[in-house]
Amino acid sequence: MLGFRLERFLGTTDAEPPNAADFKRIATVQTFGAAWPRTEHLDTRTRALISVAIAATLGVREPLRGQLRIALNNGVTKEEIVEAFIQLSVYAGAARAFESYGIAAEVFGE
């Protein structure tokens, strides 16, 4: 979905507790192994745009960057993402939409 494998995010450091690897593996498998493959009712492209809107609404900056990359890698256009931010500004507020769009503009430039 991102154009690379996720194993690089699953490693732990010496500062992390022993169960950190379990958390990272479980969260990754739940997300990318259980939810994303469900394409019977929502295709991956639609799921990606919804995920952008959720991350933007929650104001989680780094996950939003990832969701934007996933969306673009799965055929969501920049214009559709901007339309999602227009909708977001109405229901979640202009400040949240502007902040999220700023992140999107950075990702668009990559």
Side-chain angles (χ1 to χ4, degrees):
M1 293 194 184
L2 281 165
F4 56 84
R5 298 193 51 86
L6 296 173
E7 281 82 359
R8 68 172 93 168
F9 299 112
L10 299 179
T12 59
T13 66
D14 291 339
E16 294 176 270
N19 62 344
D22 293 335
F23 161 71
K24 291 177 180 182
R25 181 184 45 78
I26 291 166
T28 301
V29 168
Q30 179 64 23
T31 301
F32 295 101
W36 277 95
R38 298 177 51 84
T39 56
E40 182 180 350
H41 301 290
L42 283 178
D43 62 14
T44 302
R45 187 180 177 286
T46 303
R47 200 172 290 275
L49 187 57
I50 291 168
S51 296
V52 166
I54 292 168
T57 300
L58 292 173
V60 288
R61 300 175 71 114
E62 289 309 309
L64 175 57
R65 286 181 202 284
Q67 294 305 325
L68 286 160
R69 291 178 186 121
I70 289 171
L72 293 168
N73 284 338
N74 284 281
V76 177
T77 67
K78 293 174 184 179
E79 293 82 4
E80 290 170 320
I81 291 169
V82 171
E83 287 296 324
F85 290 137
I86 290 170
Q87 195 71 9
L88 186 110
S89 72
V90 175
Y91 288 97
R96 182 57 47 94
F98 270 111
E99 179 182 47
S100 297
Y101 178 76
I103 293 168
E106 292 172 9
V107 172
F108 294 162
E110 293 177 351

